[in-house]
């Protein structure tokens, strides 16, 4: 049976770049909300020699994620899931939509795909180095487990906490950081649950990357760039390669951790360049 790789947020940015680094014997499923973007991505992949399919999915809807999982499983054995779908503070939307897509979307993706995946497969959830930016005492970690049992209460608690920030962009930024901190926590949790079935789960946290999203955030969200080792943004293709290698089956012992792929900016800020 053919091996299938599913990439959410695959119509653009680092999701699309990760597809271009996958082995060509895999069937690639490119997913996102906008069909025109997916079709362009699939055409690009086909021109490179891939067998690729477009399938719309809104990861903030469990039903939509279920349909995506059934579609992918109908093409072959789902071996790799790269969950790159996400929205950021500078985009249209609210604190709630950020949390629904980035946090609850990850719950739906991991839960629904783990039902159709078998031993030797992998889920990579894309987080962000902004997951590390909040002081731990301010993170409502006890509320995280509600994401699986009481979504509305989970959202209410995280929105309430993000309302501590002043200004709309800051509140959305706070919600974004919480959503991505949750992704790191949740991917670890899933690694230990799905590990029994032989499914590997890892999160990967990019720093500021020059995708459509990253360029949009660079004005207000670029404060970490001077703290990175080379004092630059990351390139989408660098992150595509990082995601594809983490998702590679040969990386079979990498599980239950977050891969911080941010050019060193988090450590630069915390320790090595903080006096700058
Ligand atoms: N760029 C950065 O600086 C940066 C830094 C840290 C983390 N990240 C994370 O990296 C991931 C990829 O972002 P990117 O930089 O590659 O930006 P991007 O090009 O904007 O990619 C994000 C993709 O997610 C899709 N998407 C958004 N909401 C969705 C939903 N509800 N369901 C399905 N797909 C959805 C978007 O397509 P549609 O709108 O058509 O659905 C888009 O193709 C995101 O999770 C982001 O939070 C980015």
């Amino acid at each position: 049976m053919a091996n299938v790789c599913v990439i959410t947020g695959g119509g653009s940015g680092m999701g699309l770049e990760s597809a271009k680094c996958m082995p060509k014997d895999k069937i690639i499923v490119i997913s996102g909300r906008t069909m025109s973007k997916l079709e362009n991505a699939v055409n690009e992949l086909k021109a490179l020699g891939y067998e690729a399919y477009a399938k719309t999915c809104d990861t903030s809807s469990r039903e939509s994620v279920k349909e995506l999982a059934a579609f992918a499983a109908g093409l072959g054995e789902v071996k790799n899931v790269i969950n790159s779908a996400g929205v950021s503070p500078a985009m249209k939307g609210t604190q709630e939509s950020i949390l629904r897509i980035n946090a609850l979307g990850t719950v739906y993706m991991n839960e629904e795909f783990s039902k159709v995946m078998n031993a030797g497969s992998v889920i990579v959830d894309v987080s962000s180095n902004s997951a590390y930016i909040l002081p731990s005492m301010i993170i409502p970690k006890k509320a995280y487990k509600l994401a699986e049992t009481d979504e509305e209460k989970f959202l209410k608690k995280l929105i309430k906490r993000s309302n501590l920030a002043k200004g709309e962009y800051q509140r959305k930024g706070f919600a974004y950081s919480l959503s991505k901190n949750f992704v790191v926590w949740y991917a670890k949790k899933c690694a230990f649950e799905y590990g029994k079935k032989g499914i590997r789960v890892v999160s990967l946290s990019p720093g500021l990357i020059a995708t459509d999203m990253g360029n949009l955030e660079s004005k207000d969200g670029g404060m970490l760039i001077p703290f990175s080792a080379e004092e630059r943004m990351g390139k989408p293709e660098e992150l595509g390669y990082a995601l594809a290698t983490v998702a590679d089956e040969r990386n079979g012992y990498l599980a239950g951790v977050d891969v911080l792929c941010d050019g060193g900016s988090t450590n630069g800020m915390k320790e090595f360049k903080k006096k700058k």
Side-chain angles (χ1 to χ4, degrees), residues 9 11-14 32-34 37 57-60 84-87 91 101 126-128 176 180 206-209 211 213-214:
S12 62
M14 45 190 114
R33 294 169 301 181
T34 317
K37 277 166 67 174
C57 170
D58 178 348
T59 57
S60 67
S84 190
V87 285
M91 292 169 164
I101 294 169
V126 179
S127 176
S128 163
Y176 180 78
K180 294 299 193 179
L208 193 64
I209 313 302
T211 60
M213 180 189 291

Side-chain angles (χ1 to χ4, degrees), residues 8-16 31-35 37-38 56-61 64 83-88 91 97 100-102 105 126-130 176 179-180 204-215 217 233-234 236 243:
T8 69
S12 62
M14 45 190 114
L16 176 54
S31 186
R33 294 169 301 181
T34 317
M35 190 40 124
K37 277 166 67 174
L38 306 182
T56 51
C57 170
D58 178 348
T59 57
S60 67
S61 152
S64 188
N83 181 27
S84 190
V87 285
S88 68
M91 292 169 164
S97 59
R100 281 196 185 275
I101 294 169
N102 297 356
V126 179
S127 176
S128 163
N129 69 345
S130 66
Y176 180 78
S179 73
K180 294 299 193 179
L204 184 144
S205 290
L208 193 64
I209 313 302
T211 60
D212 292 348
M213 180 189 291
N215 292 331
E217 295 298 334
M233 287 171 91
L243 285 168

Side-chain angles (χ1 to χ4, degrees), residues 155-232:
L155 290 172
K156 208 170 151 196
K157 284 193 182 273
L158 269 61
I159 291 168
K160 189 173 171 201
R161 191 54 58 95
S162 64
N163 279 338
L164 290 174
K166 289 200 168 62
E168 203 204 340
Y169 180 83
Q170 285 75 10
R171 282 197 286 273
K172 283 166 70 178
F174 199 143
Y176 180 78
S177 296
L178 285 179
S179 73
K180 294 299 193 179
N181 185 275
F182 170 82
V183 170
V184 170
W185 177 85
Y186 187 69
K188 277 184 201 161
K189 179 179 186 287
C190 291
F192 293 95
E193 282 173 25
Y194 307 165
K196 297 181 193 92
K197 219 179 137 184
I199 303 171
R200 196 160 64 81
V201 187
V202 185
S203 62
L204 184 144
S205 290
L208 193 64
I209 313 302
T211 60
D212 292 348
M213 180 189 291
N215 292 331
L216 205 59
E217 295 298 334
S218 59
K219 187 170 145 272
D220 292 306
M223 85 243 197
L224 283 181
I225 297 174
F227 294 106
S228 66
E230 293 180 37
E231 302 188 4
R232 66 172 176 88

Side-chain angles (χ1 to χ4, degrees), residues 60-131:
S60 67
S61 152
R62 189 184 285 276
E63 282 313 306
S64 188
V65 170
K66 273 186 187 169
E67 280 173 26
L68 176 64
F71 175 81
L75 292 171
E77 188 175 348
V78 181
K79 278 275 182 191
N80 324 79
V81 172
I82 297 177
N83 181 27
S84 190
V87 285
S88 68
M91 292 169 164
K92 272 194 240 150
T94 58
Q95 290 150 269
E96 180 173 337
S97 59
I98 289 172
L99 287 159
R100 281 196 185 275
I101 294 169
N102 297 356
L104 293 180
T106 302
V107 174
Y108 304 150
M109 282 297 298
N110 290 13
E111 283 186 352
E112 296 307 325
F113 272 91
S114 65
K115 293 175 190 165
V116 300
M117 293 167 82
N118 297 310
S121 60
V122 55
I123 300 172
V124 183
D125 291 314
V126 179
S127 176
S128 163
N129 69 345
S130 66

